[in-house]
């Protein structure tokens, strides 16, 4: 692959194909930058943008046709002596060699710079990779520790769940016992209340409650007037007002409590 000349302006580097501005200091520039840089001043003095050399002579900088016609090729060196032709040719080859050498040096410098930058990036990448590997190992250890702790917590949770079930069964058992005791207490309380209601009244209370015109008598149960009786619930009632009467042998007395 044949290298081509490029514009020697530092910020341009455009390939030169058809026309170019060339200088005696062996530099070439594109049309745009050549027209901008090579405007002769009052002193008729120019400066090369690439090397800073002064270009005083009229032919120190010219606009060259890089693809001349066949007519131009046949006439440009016509009539010159061979040594002149060889001198012109050698100078043209020197110009070309210098341009190619400069382009090669530039490309080598660019490649070296890119290589150094790549090496620097590789070092940074290696350091980052090592750092990431260390963080990865740390994360793996943390994951293992968390898994161990998670398994431990799961085991503790299972144990607590089992204990909770046992305690719930105990609570249910105690609740059943408590309900049974409550029912028993209610039954006992009802029984005691019934018993208290059925307790015998003392005779002194009965005497104190009876009226003065009412006789305090003990009579058989079949002769008791239940609506007007004031007696002890468990004491037989007899009429002692007719104590001199002989009892009827055919009539039997039943002794049983009479409820008030």
């Amino acid at each position: 692959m044949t290298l081509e000349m490029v514009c020697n302006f530092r910020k341009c580097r455009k390939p030169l194909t058809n026309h170019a501005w060339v200088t005696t200091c062996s530099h070439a520039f594109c049309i745009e930058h050549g027209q901008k840089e090579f405007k002769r001043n009052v002193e008729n003095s120019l400066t090369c943008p690439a090397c800073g050399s002064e270009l005083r002579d009229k032919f120190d900088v010219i606009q060259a046709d890089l693809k001349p016609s066949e007519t131009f090729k046949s006439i440009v060196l016509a009539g010159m002596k061979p040594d002149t032709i060889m001198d012109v040719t050698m100078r043209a080859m020197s110009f070309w060699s210098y341009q190619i050498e400069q382009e090669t040096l530039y490309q080598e410098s660019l490649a070296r710079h890119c290589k150094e930058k790549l090496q620097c990036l590789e070092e940074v990448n290696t350091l980052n990779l090592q750092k990431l590997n260390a963080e990865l190992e740390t994360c793996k250890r943390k994951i293992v520790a968390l898994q161990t702790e998670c398994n431990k917590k799961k085991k503790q949770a299972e144990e607590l769940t089992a204990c909770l079930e046992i305690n719930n069964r105990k609570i249910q058992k105690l609740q059943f016992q408590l309900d049974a005791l409550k029912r028993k207490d209610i039954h006992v309380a009802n029984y005691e209340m019934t018993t208290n209601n059925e307790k015998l009244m003392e005779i002194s209370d009965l005497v104190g409650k009876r009226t003065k015109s009412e006789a305090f008598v003990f009579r058989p149960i079949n002769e008791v007037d239940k609506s007007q009786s004031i007696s002890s619930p468990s004491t037989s009632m007899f009429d002692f007002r007719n104590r001199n009467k002989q009892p009827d042998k055919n009539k039997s007395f039943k002794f049983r409590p009479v409820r008030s």
Side-chain angles (χ1 to χ4, degrees), residues 46-92:
L46 298 175
T47 303
C48 178
C51 62
S53 300
E54 291 186 358
L55 306 173
R56 296 179 178 274
D57 192 71
K58 179 180 178 180
F59 294 104
D60 283 346
V61 54
I62 61 171
Q63 185 176 355
D65 187 1
L66 301 181
K67 290 183 178 181
S69 63
E70 295 297 327
T71 303
F72 180 81
K73 291 179 183 178
S74 62
I75 198 67
V76 66
L77 296 178
M80 296 183 182
K81 295 182 179 180
D83 54 349
T84 304
I85 295 172
M86 291 298 296
D87 186 26
V88 172
T89 305
M90 290 297 296
R91 292 187 181 189

Side-chain angles (χ1 to χ4, degrees), residues 166-183:
I166 294 172
N167 291 331
N168 287 333
R169 287 195 293 269
K170 289 181 179 180
I171 290 171
Q172 291 178 358
K173 184 177 179 181
L174 292 173
Q175 187 66 36
F176 291 152
Q177 292 177 357
L178 179 61
D179 293 339
L181 290 174
K182 285 182 177 180
R183 289 193 295 269

Side-chain angles (χ1 to χ4, degrees), residues 3 98-110:
L3 293 177
Y98 177 78
Q99 284 293 315
I100 298 303
E101 182 182 1
Q102 292 298 316
E103 182 63 20
T104 302
L105 291 176
Y106 175 80
Q107 294 296 335
E108 289 178 352
S109 175
L110 184 63

Side-chain angles (χ1 to χ4, degrees), residues 192-204:
E192 289 178 354
M193 186 181 295
T194 304
T195 304
N196 291 331
N197 291 332
E198 292 179 354
K199 282 184 178 180
L200 300 176
M201 297 178 64
E202 295 181 0
I203 297 176
S204 59

Side-chain angles (χ1 to χ4, degrees), residues 139-152:
C139 292
K140 285 182 178 180
R141 289 193 294 271
K142 288 182 179 180
I143 290 172
V144 172
L146 290 174
Q147 287 178 349
T148 304
E149 186 176 358
C150 182
N151 294 331
K152 185 177 179 181

